[in-house]
């Protein structure tokens, strides 16, 4: 096995000199582009080396970040020193570690709780800036004169959400991120990306976080990350679900865009940072192709916050900025957010109430890039690059030079491609215990039918089913759907989920089959893939012959498929199975979505 020194020597002998400039840490960091020079007023936030409350990252000159045990020990020591700080567990990781939350509050223990700002770090444990920024801010609140930040709000801080991944730190994780020297993994102990789990709730970490969201119902929820993408001059970027016009809930989105964005932009700029709304790249190899604004689903923290009516911010510090600079920028953003939340808590509560009173009639399920830009960043602050031919890839690769440039950047929006009309309710068989439990964990309201009842129901059937590549603990499913409306009787014990409720839109995202984040799309109903019970070919063949003879439309579709797909035409079993799906009485499970959609009698489902 190659050692760090061996690889470092190889890098030194083969890479062009510009790629080796301004490095930090062990060998993997040696290939990073040169760091842009920076200084700012936020550097005054770092305490002196002899300060008894120096954080571990400050003490290490931001070369390293503390382990879970070191973080816990430091926080418990701070809690003993200050009545403003308390540390508790709000759950367990997959490997049994305590999920830690810190509450910073004046007058804790009282019966009246102030509005809460909830901040989490380390959902991707290699993107750990928020943890060390949060420790510095808590120190300054507790013992350095910033307790006034808690006059009107409480701060609840989760220093590391993906603790199991955090404890797998290595210089070879998150190679694109400049510092600290060793970083944790993206996934948890099961390699599941926690920031893809808010809808499906497969992990104990996100189940605990969703429970905490329900318990606290914060006025503001901040999720700290570090970006991928291309090099640029901006160091602190942030965004919200549906930035621009794509939010599912408009009132909280308006507050984020009109109040949060300008406030933190001003604070960061004053502190010497270079902020911008997160420029999600269309093509990292061609930065000038544009940046993307689009809707989000509830798999993400920001999308989930949008669906439940909680103002949620994604902080995406730029990967190539030094760790010290990124941590300080995060501190400035969090402090500004606390001040603003205290000032605007009443306004935020009104926006949340407006959003939760909405009852949308439709759910957007698919979108496509707009043909023309919806706007421009006139002078985007980028970094120049040159190209060289890589012996490894055989193609031209980028080499960022560190030269500051500006260029016009198009903003690419999205056009609606598909939406679905929400039913009155969804009816879930009692046997679907996993799905019903996940709805309960989300706080979605439902009732259990006590006696057999007849409804006007839409039955959904799957066609052209495809399994996507496995990721995040699931094998996602893609399909086309047909809908059949008719009366049907459902048995006692069936769970009925009404769409007329504050979380009706979240219920739709989880239960509508066309939704990209539905339980069906994530593969939670594997029984729909089961083949129907078979019978002998000497029985099936004449039935299918009669079906073809009686249905001209089906016959035309079948003949078209035969002509277009020679492999299908030559496969007797494939031909039989395709036609069997069109028989009038089919297997109750095979290719049938178990969840029924309730509509008023004689209503259209379109």
């Amino acid at each position: 096995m190659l050692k760090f020194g061996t690889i470092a020597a190889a890098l030194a002998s083969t890479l062009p000199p510009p790629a080796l400039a301004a490095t930090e840490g062990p060998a993997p960091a040696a290939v990073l582009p040169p760091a842009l020079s920076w200084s700012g007023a936020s550097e005054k936030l770092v305490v002196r080396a002899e300060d008894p409350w120096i954080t571990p990252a400050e003490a290490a000159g931001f070369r390293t970040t503390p382990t879970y045990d070191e973080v816990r020990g430091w926080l418990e020591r701070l809690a003993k020193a200050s009545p403003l700080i308390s540390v508790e567990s709000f759950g367990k990781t997959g490997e049994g570690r305590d999920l830690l939350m810190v509450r910073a509050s004046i007058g804790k223990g009282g019966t009246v709780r102030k509005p809460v700002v909830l901040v989490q770090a380390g959902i991707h444990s290699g993107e750990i800036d928020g943890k060390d920024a949060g420790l510095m801010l808590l120190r300054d609140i507790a013992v350095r004169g910033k307790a006034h930040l808690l006059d009107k709000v409480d701060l609840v801080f989760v220093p590391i959400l993906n603790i199991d991944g955090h404890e797998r730190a290595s210089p070879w994780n998150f190679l694109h991120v400049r510092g600290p020297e060793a970083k944790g993994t993206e996934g948890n102990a099961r390699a599941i990306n926690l920031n893809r789990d808010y809808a499906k709730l497969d992990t104990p970490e996100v189940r605990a976080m969703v429970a905490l969201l329900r318990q606290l119902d914060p006025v503001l929820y901040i999720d700290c990350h570090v970006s991928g993408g291309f090099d640029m001059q901006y160091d602190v970027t942030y965004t919200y679900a549906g930035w621009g016009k794509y939010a599912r809930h408009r009132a909280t989105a308006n507050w984020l865009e009109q109040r949060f964005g300008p406030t933190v932009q001003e604070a960061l700029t004053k502190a010497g940072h270079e902020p911008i709304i997160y420029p999600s790249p269309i093509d990292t190899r061609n930065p000038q192709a544009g940046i993307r604004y689009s809707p989000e689903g509830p798999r993400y923290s920001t999308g989930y916050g949008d669906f439940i009516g909680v103002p949620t911010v994604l902080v995406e510090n730029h990967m190539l900025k030094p760790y010290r600079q990124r941590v300080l920028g995060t501190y400035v953003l969090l402090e500004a957010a606390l001040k603003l939340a205290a000032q605007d808590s009443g306004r935020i509560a009104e926006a949340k109430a407006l959003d939760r009173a909405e009852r949308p009639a439709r759910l957007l399920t698919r979108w496509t890039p707009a043909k023309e830009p919806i706007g421009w960043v006139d002078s985007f602050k980028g970094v120049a690059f040159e190209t060289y031919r890589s012996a490894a890839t055989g193609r031209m690769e980028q080499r960022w030079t560190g030269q500051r440039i500006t260029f016009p950047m198009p903003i690419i929006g999205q056009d609606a491609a598909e939406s679905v009309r929400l039913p009155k309710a969804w009816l879930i068989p009692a046997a679907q215990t996993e799905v019903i439990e996940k709805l309960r964990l989300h706080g979605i309201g439902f009732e259990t039918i006590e006696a057999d009842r007849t409804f006007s129901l839409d039955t959904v059937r799957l066609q052209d089913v495809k399994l996507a590549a496995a990721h995040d603990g699931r094998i996602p499913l893609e399909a086309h759907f047909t809908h059949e409306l008719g009366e049907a009787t459902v048995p006692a014990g069936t769970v009925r989920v009404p769409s007329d409720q504050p979380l009706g839109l979240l219920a739709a995202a989880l239960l509508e089959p066309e939704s990209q984040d539905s339980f069906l799309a994530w593969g939670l109903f594997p029984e729909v893939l089961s083949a129907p019970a078979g019978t002998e070919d000497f029985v099936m063949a004449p039935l299918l012959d009669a079906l073809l003879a009686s249905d001209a439309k089906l016959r035309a579709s079948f003949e078209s498929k035969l002509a277009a797909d020679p492999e299908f035409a030559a496969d007797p079993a494939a031909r039989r199975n395709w036609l069997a799906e069109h028989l009038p009485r089919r297997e109750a499970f095979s290719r049938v979505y178990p969840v029924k959609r309730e509509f008023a009698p004689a209503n259209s489902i379109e």
Side-chain angles (χ1 to χ4, degrees):
M1 178 180 292
L2 288 173
K3 303 296 185 183
F4 287 160
T6 306
I7 297 177
L11 290 171
S13 65
T14 61
L15 284 179
L20 295 175
T23 63
E24 64 184 65
V31 299
L32 293 180
L36 303 182
S37 60
W38 176 80
S39 64
S42 64
E43 292 178 284
K44 296 177 182 177
L45 297 167
V46 181
V47 300
R48 292 186 302 232
E50 65 271 18
D51 192 300
W53 287 106
I54 192 169
T55 67
E58 289 173 303
F62 296 94
R63 290 181 301 98
T64 61
T65 189
T67 66
Y68 168 74
D69 287 338
E70 290 169 336
V71 169
R72 185 170 196 165
W74 192 91
L75 287 170
E76 289 174 346
R77 186 166 69 92
L78 186 65
K80 288 180 181 178
S82 171
L84 306 181
I85 305 297
S86 60
V87 182
E88 60 187 274
S89 171
F90 67 100
K92 297 281 189 180
T93 71
E95 293 183 333
R97 297 179 174 93
D98 284 321
L99 289 164
L100 300 180
M101 58 172 274
V102 185
R103 184 183 283 270
S105 176
I106 294 176
K108 59 183 170 76
T111 57
V112 178
R113 289 288 197 183
K114 294 193 291 288
V116 170
V117 174
L118 174 60
V119 178
Q120 75 182 29
I123 190 171
H124 295 153
S125 64
E127 302 170 3
I128 204 62
D129 309 12
K131 177 189 74 177
D132 289 313
L135 297 187
M136 292 173 64
L137 181 58
L138 286 169
R139 179 262 320 279
D140 292 348
I141 289 171
V143 297
R144 291 290 181 270
K146 290 190 177 181
H148 63 276
L149 293 174
L150 306 179
D151 285 346
K152 295 182 180 180
V153 293
D154 287 353
L155 169 63
V156 172
F157 177 59
V158 176
I160 316 164
L161 185 58
N162 180 13
I163 298 169
D164 295 343
H166 183 275
E167 297 306 281
R168 289 166 165 78
S170 165
W172 292 90
N173 296 331
F174 285 84
L175 295 175
H176 57 286
V177 177
R178 191 187 304 277
E181 288 179 354
K183 297 173 282 289
T185 59
E186 181 175 73
N188 70 353
R190 294 180 55 209
I192 295 177
N193 185 335
L194 301 185
N195 202 31
R196 303 297 184 271
D197 196 46
Y198 279 79
K200 58 188 177 67
L201 295 182
D202 283 339
T203 62
E205 296 90 350
V206 177
R207 287 196 295 270
M209 180 53 66
V210 166
L212 190 61
L213 278 166
R214 291 181 60 198
Q215 173 191 334
L216 300 175
D217 193 15
V219 292
L220 182 60
Y221 178 32
I222 300 176
D223 185 13
C224 298
H225 289 250
V226 178
S227 72
F230 51 77
D231 201 0
M232 58 186 178
Q233 298 173 46
Y234 306 101
D235 58 352
V236 180
T237 80
Y238 51 89
T239 191
Y240 342 104
W243 166 258
K245 62 178 183 179
Y246 305 110
R248 312 289 180 154
H249 284 117
R250 194 65 257 166
T252 47
N254 285 342
W255 180 82
L256 287 166
E257 293 174 15
Q258 296 167 13
R259 294 288 293 155
F260 181 89
T263 298
V264 299
Q265 185 95 0
E266 180 181 0
L268 285 161
T269 302
K270 185 177 179 180
H273 293 274
E274 195 74 70
I276 193 174
I277 291 293
Y278 174 53
S280 178
I282 298 292
D283 182 356
T284 58
R285 300 176 67 84
N286 178 20
Q288 297 185 45
I291 52 181
R292 178 189 300 104
Y293 290 176
S294 71
E296 285 187 13
R299 71 180 63 184
Y300 307 105
S301 63
T302 41
Y304 190 77
D306 186 19
F307 272 86
I308 66 174
V310 170
T312 303
V313 176
L314 176 76
V315 180
E316 284 279 8
N317 291 337
H318 187 246
M319 58 185 176
L320 294 176
K321 301 303 178 287
Y323 190 54
R324 181 175 185 268
Q325 180 180 351
R326 301 198 320 261
V327 170
L328 296 179
T330 306
Y331 181 116
V332 172
L333 183 146
L334 295 180
E335 183 177 18
L338 275 175
K339 292 177 180 177
L340 179 63
Q343 179 182 342
D344 277 16
S345 61
R347 184 171 174 175
I348 298 169
E350 291 175 2
K352 290 167 65 177
L354 283 172
D355 284 343
R356 292 172 182 183
E358 283 187 348
R359 297 296 183 267
R362 303 191 72 87
L363 172 71
L364 178 66
T365 54
R366 303 279 168 180
W367 46 90
T368 57
K371 292 183 173 59
E372 298 294 333
I374 62 171
W376 292 80
V377 179
D378 292 333
S379 294
F380 187 87
K381 296 180 180 180
V383 172
F385 68 90
E386 57 193 22
T387 59
Y388 71 98
R389 184 167 297 280
S390 165
T393 68
R395 68 177 180 183
M396 302 302 290
E397 301 291 352
Q398 291 168 307
R399 181 188 302 131
W400 301 95
T401 67
Q403 177 187 353
R404 291 174 166 90
I405 60 172
T406 61
F407 54 87
M409 176 72 85
I411 300 171
I412 309 301
Q414 307 294 314
D415 293 332
E418 176 190 74
S419 67
V420 294
R421 178 169 168 248
L422 270 59
K424 286 181 63 178
W426 298 268
L427 292 138
I428 306 174
Q432 296 291 344
T433 54
E434 180 185 19
V435 166
I436 294 167
E437 174 62 11
K438 289 177 186 288
L439 294 175
R440 187 191 66 77
L441 292 172
H442 281 297
I444 293 170
F446 55 80
E447 61 178 327
T448 301
I449 296 173
E450 296 182 354
D452 294 2
R453 285 174 59 183
T454 299
F455 295 92
S456 178
L457 295 180
D458 171 35
T459 298
V460 181
R461 300 185 185 276
L462 288 69
Q463 294 183 343
D464 303 321
V465 178
K466 297 178 181 177
L467 297 180
H471 64 90
D472 298 310
R474 292 284 177 177
I475 302 176
L477 175 152
E478 299 174 1
H480 294 108
F481 303 100
T482 62
H483 295 259
E484 302 169 8
L485 190 61
E487 283 198 350
T489 299
V490 299
T494 298
V495 166
R496 181 178 182 272
V497 184
S499 59
D500 184 5
Q501 60 173 299
L503 294 180
L505 199 63
L506 177 61
L510 300 175
L511 296 174
E512 284 295 291
E514 286 86 357
S515 168
Q516 296 180 56
D517 272 336
S518 70
F519 292 141
L520 178 66
W522 275 110
L524 267 70
F525 298 95
E527 65 271 23
V528 302
L529 303 179
S530 301
T535 190
E536 300 299 334
D537 288 344
F538 70 82
V539 175
M540 184 62 75
L543 287 173
L544 299 178
D545 290 340
L547 179 65
L548 281 172
S550 64
D551 189 332
K553 184 177 179 181
L554 176 64
R555 185 168 62 252
S557 296
F558 184 61
E559 290 171 352
S560 175
K561 186 167 180 62
L562 291 174
D565 188 346
E567 185 175 342
F568 171 80
D571 186 341
R575 293 169 61 140
R576 177 197 63 209
N577 294 340
W578 188 91
L579 285 169
E581 289 187 6
H582 296 82
L583 286 170
R585 294 185 63 84
R586 281 158 280 179
E587 168 68 44
F589 293 101
S590 181
R591 304 298 194 269
V592 179
Y593 182 39
V595 177
K596 308 296 183 186
R597 306 169 72 240
E598 177 192 347
F599 287 89
N603 264 17
S604 167
I605 61 174
E606 296 299 325

